[in-house]
Amino acid sequence: MNIGIIGCGTMGSGIAQVAATAGCTVSVYDTKQEALDKSKAQLDKVLNRLIEKERIDETEKNRIQANINYVNSLKDLADADLTIEAIVENLEIKRKVFQELESYQSQEAIIASNTSSLSIASIAASLEKPERVIGVHFFNPAPLMPLVEIIPAIQTSEEVKDKVVQIIADWKKVGVLAKDTPGFIVNRVARPFYGEALRIYEEGKADFATIDWALREFGGFKMGPFQLMDFIGHDVNYTVTETVFKEFYYDPRYKPSFTQKRLAEAGYLGRKTGKGFYDYGENAKKTAPTKDEDLGKQILDRVLVMLINEAADALFLNIATAKDIDLAMTKGVNYPKGLLAWANEKGINWCVEKLDTLYNEYHEDRYRCSPLLRKMNKESETFQVS
């Protein structure tokens, strides 16, 4: 199968490696030759590291590299059976690139976007044959992260959807189907991990280090929310939050934080700039958390119930199946458990009571309990996630 990749940044290069490893012939396109050269050199480094770790041998490295061509004209993607775009998150730029690409490709070629939050329907509407367009959202780093969200637009044909589902499976990735709504599954459901942690900090209940400690210690999360936001970068993480907030008609559940906004405005973007919620300078002192067990468990419970509520609401609105929602959160962002399975474990009644307590304290719509949780609690049901 011939695969086209538009954009050779970290994500585009990673997807190219995945496809080439699976035996596809891959053409990576970028307008800048220096970017293509950098991508090629980076792949060589990655493959050499895999050889050092004895994951592959020299023969396999040569096979993967031989499967990838680097091109600087969209016309060179004319023979691609599937093209995946991984460029800047700008709707108009994506539409313009897709329109040009369509003029070179056959009627049967599939065109996919790796967008994390933009409307697939809007992208598809720019083409003469919108039924060929679909969302295929990988997670960074693409060769390591198993999850791929597959997002059919309302225009996408069943044939295209089925083909892409099979391709992703053939690439040995975990594919989950999501409705074309802002943030799809992961970037929607994960918002409270950041947003409620920020709210707890802004209320003065705990500092960054204590909140991170609580989520790791009592929740089993590999990284706390402030560590993770610093790792992702505040330019990226804040923009996704802002986009989801706007696209959901300013629903207060997704309201961005001024604390993070100011960091982004100051250029304190996290690890990549040496400063974010934490200072990563050589002589920086590590902030010690306040290891208060009662406080830590209160923090976990508050963040966890908001995450569960978001996952339940995604199911209520048919964004994805219960199984796919839990798969997305464990395979896409390494949560220790699926949120719906976690809700079963904690008890649906526990979830409803926690949310009602928060709502009664704040009287803010962000704490409204999902109708699905209320219904399940009334009928003594649990989530079917297997």
Side-chain angles (χ1 to χ4, degrees), residues 67-305:
N67 283 342
I68 303 179
N69 305 304
Y70 296 87
V71 301
N72 54 19
S73 171
L74 274 178
K75 291 180 181 178
D76 292 320
L77 306 185
D79 294 331
D81 302 298
L82 166 66
T83 301
I84 301 173
E85 162 272 314
I87 59 174
V88 64
E89 285 286 84
N90 180 296
L91 180 60
E92 290 311 311
I93 292 175
K94 290 181 189 291
R95 288 168 65 119
K96 185 177 179 181
V97 170
F98 274 32
Q99 285 171 346
E100 183 182 349
L101 179 67
E102 186 181 39
S103 69
Y104 304 133
Q105 293 191 327
S106 73
Q107 293 285 307
E108 290 72 38
I110 299 170
I111 302 176
S113 175
N114 185 62
T115 180
S116 60
S117 57
L118 295 176
S119 162
I120 305 301
S122 291
I123 296 170
S126 65
L127 300 188
E128 291 181 10
K129 199 169 184 285
E131 61 270 25
R132 67 165 71 194
V133 178
I134 193 167
V136 180
H137 180 219
F138 285 77
F139 289 77
N140 207 10
L144 297 179
M145 297 302 288
L147 187 77
V148 178
E149 292 178 319
I150 301 167
I151 311 101
I154 56 173
Q155 304 100 312
T156 308
S157 71
E158 281 293 312
E159 183 184 5
V160 165
K161 183 198 76 174
D162 292 344
K163 279 184 179 178
V164 170
V165 166
Q166 188 59 55
I167 290 167
I168 294 304
D170 291 344
W171 291 0
K172 295 182 169 50
K173 292 294 183 181
V174 177
V176 293
L177 283 166
K179 190 182 284 187
D180 184 15
T181 53
F184 313 132
I185 303 173
V186 171
N187 278 322
R188 174 201 177 131
V189 174
R191 284 354 293 157
F193 190 68
Y194 315 112
E196 202 58 28
L198 280 157
R199 179 65 180 263
I200 292 167
Y201 164 77
E202 289 174 342
E203 289 178 9
K205 294 185 183 295
D207 59 17
F208 305 138
T210 301
I211 296 168
D212 278 348
W213 165 78
L215 271 294
R216 293 193 311 267
E217 181 73 15
F218 301 109
F221 290 91
K222 292 183 180 178
M223 297 177 77
F226 297 101
Q227 287 177 294
L228 186 53
M229 284 185 277
D230 270 0
F231 180 78
I232 294 168
H234 299 294
D235 50 342
V236 175
N237 187 265
Y238 178 79
T239 300
V240 171
T241 300
E242 195 174 44
T243 300
V244 171
F245 180 53
K246 179 183 175 184
E247 292 298 318
F248 272 110
Y249 307 108
Y250 303 100
D251 187 322
R253 286 187 301 175
Y254 311 112
K255 187 177 179 180
S257 159
F258 279 116
T259 299
Q260 190 178 28
K261 187 173 193 285
R262 294 296 180 256
L263 283 178
E265 290 170 342
Y268 296 162
L269 306 182
R271 284 187 174 275
K272 59 187 167 188
T273 60
K275 192 170 185 179
F277 291 117
Y278 298 104
D279 189 339
Y280 299 93
E282 285 185 23
N283 301 317
K285 291 182 180 179
K286 283 192 175 181
T287 307
T290 302
K291 294 188 177 182
D292 179 322
E293 186 172 332
D294 288 340
L295 175 62
K297 288 180 178 178
Q298 287 172 23
I299 291 168
L300 169 64
D301 284 354
R302 182 165 162 180
V303 174
L304 177 59
V305 79

Side-chain angles (χ1 to χ4, degrees), residues 48-62:
N48 284 336
R49 282 200 296 269
L50 291 176
I51 290 173
E52 288 171 13
K53 294 177 181 178
E54 298 183 347
R55 304 267 180 87
I56 63 171
D57 57 22
E58 194 73 34
T59 301
E60 176 68 356
K61 172 192 170 181
N62 292 335

